[in-house]
Amino acid sequence: MKKEVIDIVIRDFYDLAKSDFLIGYHFRHIKNFDTHIPKIQRFWYLILLDLSSQEKKEVVTQGVPKNVINSHEYLKIKPGEVGRWIVLFEQILKKHHDRHPILINQWRTEIIKFQRLFLSSPTLFK
């Protein structure tokens, strides 16, 4: 059930983000979302699910970014774009809150952690 909620939230977020006036250009350059989306889903499985050691190993070997900041540096993200990402993600989490309230609330906590991580990065906003 949790994986399905994560999958739906990720797909809905990217559908919204690709068409966003402020940050959509970051997502529109991705040539093949069919390979990108599963990587993002696996990333959130690691963050949000209580996986066994074996499951974590399997998820990581399937391709999950080891360093979130490093994997986004090439995008030249602006601080305001991080804020917009938060706004859009919150819209999607709110839309799906009733599907799994505990998971969605946990996700909100993780989103705030990522916001702090990104905004405090000494290398991201060069």
Side-chain angles (χ1 to χ4, degrees), residues 47-107:
I47 301 295
L48 297 170
L49 302 179
D50 187 22
L51 302 175
S52 69
S53 295
Q54 181 60 35
E55 288 172 316
K56 286 179 184 177
K57 183 177 178 182
E58 289 169 12
V59 167
V60 169
T61 58
Q62 293 173 9
V64 174
K66 290 184 170 80
N67 185 312
V68 168
I69 296 295
N70 289 346
S71 64
H72 288 86
E73 281 182 347
Y74 78 98
L75 293 172
K76 307 287 188 229
I77 298 170
K78 297 166 187 71
E81 293 173 333
V82 175
R84 183 65 181 172
W85 180 81
I86 299 294
V87 167
L88 296 180
F89 221 104
E90 180 55 39
Q91 284 179 13
I92 297 302
L93 291 176
K94 189 176 198 177
K95 175 182 171 183
H96 293 290
H97 186 268
D98 291 342
R99 288 182 185 266
H100 202 298
I102 294 170
L103 176 67
I104 297 298
N105 287 333
Q106 177 188 354
W107 208 333

Side-chain angles (χ1 to χ4, degrees), residues 29-46:
H29 85 280
I30 298 171
K31 289 179 178 45
N32 190 347
F33 263 90
D34 291 339
T35 57
H36 184 69
I37 293 290
K39 290 178 188 176
I40 302 305
Q41 290 168 326
R42 288 189 299 267
F43 172 80
W44 285 109
Y45 297 162
L46 280 174

Side-chain angles (χ1 to χ4, degrees), residues 82-83 86 110-120:
V82 175
I86 299 294
E110 295 302 326
I111 293 295
I112 297 304
K113 289 179 188 176
F114 279 102
Q115 180 183 28
R116 289 183 186 134
L117 176 69
F118 271 67
L119 292 178
S120 67

Side-chain angles (χ1 to χ4, degrees), residues 4-22:
E4 291 84 12
V5 172
I6 291 170
D7 294 349
I8 291 167
V9 167
I10 294 300
R11 291 210 179 266
D12 281 2
F13 171 76
Y14 277 99
D15 286 346
L16 179 62
K18 284 189 286 189
S19 64
D20 186 69
F21 70 96
L22 184 59

